[in-house]
Amino acid sequence: LSPASTGDKLYCAREDGIVYVGSVNDKGFTLLTEDGNDMGGRIIASLVPIRGKLLIRGDENLYLVGSASATGK
């Protein structure tokens, strides 16, 4: 699966449903989720950034992750 970025965050997903998040800025990279976030099911497609949020397609669910104020403008 391909990584995706929104703002200063980099998201990397594994097929088993674990998503890792890192922060990328002019000082470098910082891993924010050492154990990853378990989405509760397999992820079957690359992550898609959309309007400052992240679309994640699982084998049984579709998730839209991000803050309510994120608009991508």
Side-chain angles (χ1 to χ4, degrees):
L1 302 173
S2 300
S5 66
T6 61
D8 67 343
K9 302 293 187 286
L10 177 67
Y11 300 87
C12 298
R14 299 188 328 204
E15 287 185 21
D16 65 358
I18 304 296
V19 178
Y20 293 92
V21 183
S23 176
V24 181
N25 57 40
D26 57 351
K27 295 181 181 179
F29 175 82
T30 303
L31 185 62
L32 301 176
T33 56
E34 289 191 28
D35 295 328
N37 296 304
D38 189 347
M39 299 304 294
R42 287 182 359 103
I43 296 175
I44 59 172
S46 292
L47 309 175
V48 178
I50 182 168
R51 297 183 182 175
K53 298 181 182 182
L54 194 65
L55 192 63
I56 302 173
R57 181 177 176 207
D59 58 353
E60 295 184 17
N61 298 296
L62 184 63
Y63 304 95
L64 182 61
V65 179
S67 68
S69 63
T71 63
K73 293 182 181 180

